[in-house]
Amino acid sequence: MTNKLRLRVMEKEDLPFVHNMFNNPAIMDYWFEEAYLSYAQLQEKFSKNMDDERQRHFILDKSGERLGFVALYSIDPRHRNAEYAIMIDPDHQGNGYATPATRCAMDYAFNVLNLHKLYLYVDRENEKAMHVYKKAGFKKEAVLKEAFFVSGVYHDAVIMSVFQRDYLKVE
């Protein structure tokens, strides 16, 4: 097995790994979602979404070890855009995986799906994530004031995006 970081399609065997992250409040607060998902619900979502062309779910993998989850949501074939999302397992955070994982997702989105634009929502307080996204080429588009209620407090969400033309220029 190669020692290279890669995105691979999420499989049924990955559900316990993903389930742990989706139930970790420290992760899900940054996704503006409640850390509340049963394993049965996750299995049902996985089965239901297997043929959904509007989303892609990947596992960030290095030498067979699961490091994180990466997704493209709301893939719109007409307008050629999608929402990008990533979570790195807490045991692997701080090791520099987020930027190359983001670039792998951008490569897939722009070179395989031929998307025009990727966008994301990030908590204004999540400076580390914003640094990663800027490093990968995302630019701030707007701020949604007090858009999400997390742990008893409203949070601002920053919308960031990157265009295919800009990604291909740097590549």
Side-chain angles (χ1 to χ4, degrees):
M1 170 98 7
T2 179
N3 203 20
K4 188 178 177 190
L5 199 64
R6 69 185 179 114
L7 294 182
R8 63 170 176 75
V9 174
M10 187 173 90
E11 301 287 353
K12 193 172 188 171
E13 304 81 58
D14 299 312
L15 293 181
F17 172 74
V18 173
H19 179 254
N20 284 336
M21 287 193 297
F22 273 65
N23 281 284
N24 183 332
I27 293 173
M28 296 313 292
D29 282 354
Y30 283 122
W31 271 43
F32 306 117
E33 292 188 23
E34 185 179 5
Y36 182 81
L37 181 67
S38 74
Y39 191 71
Q41 286 173 308
L42 182 61
Q43 286 177 309
E44 184 179 320
K45 282 184 177 192
F46 176 78
S47 296
K48 183 179 167 187
N49 294 328
M50 281 178 57
D51 296 324
D52 185 351
E53 290 294 317
R54 293 181 47 83
Q55 48 188 304
R56 301 288 191 281
H57 300 131
F58 300 99
I59 295 297
L60 178 62
D61 177 286
K62 183 177 181 184
S63 303
E65 184 176 12
R66 296 174 185 100
L67 305 175
F69 171 80
V70 172
L72 299 176
Y73 292 112
S74 304
I75 299 170
D76 186 327
R78 179 174 181 204
H79 303 294
R80 295 180 38 230
N81 60 48
E83 180 180 353
Y84 173 67
I86 183 172
M87 59 176 72
I88 302 294
D89 181 68
D91 293 341
H92 299 288
Q93 290 178 2
N95 293 312
Y97 296 132
T99 300
T102 299
R103 288 195 177 119
C104 286
M106 292 166 67
D107 189 57
Y108 180 83
F110 295 135
N111 291 320
V112 176
L113 297 180
N114 192 31
L115 294 181
H116 172 66
K117 176 181 181 178
L118 276 183
Y119 62 90
L120 59 85
Y121 298 87
V122 61
D123 190 319
R124 180 183 249 173
E125 296 177 13
N126 193 349
E127 293 175 12
K128 288 181 183 178
M130 283 202 285
H131 175 75
V132 165
Y133 302 139
K134 284 178 186 173
K135 195 170 162 184
F138 282 81
K139 292 183 175 42
K140 181 174 153 181
E141 279 195 11
V143 176
L144 301 173
K145 300 278 188 185
E146 298 182 14
F148 297 100
F149 189 71
V150 179
S151 301
V153 180
Y154 282 97
H155 289 246
D156 294 347
V158 177
I159 300 173
M160 299 180 78
S161 67
V162 61
F163 291 93
Q164 181 188 47
R165 64 181 171 263
D166 298 327
Y167 175 75
L168 295 176
K169 217 186 292 179
V170 192
E171 204 180 72

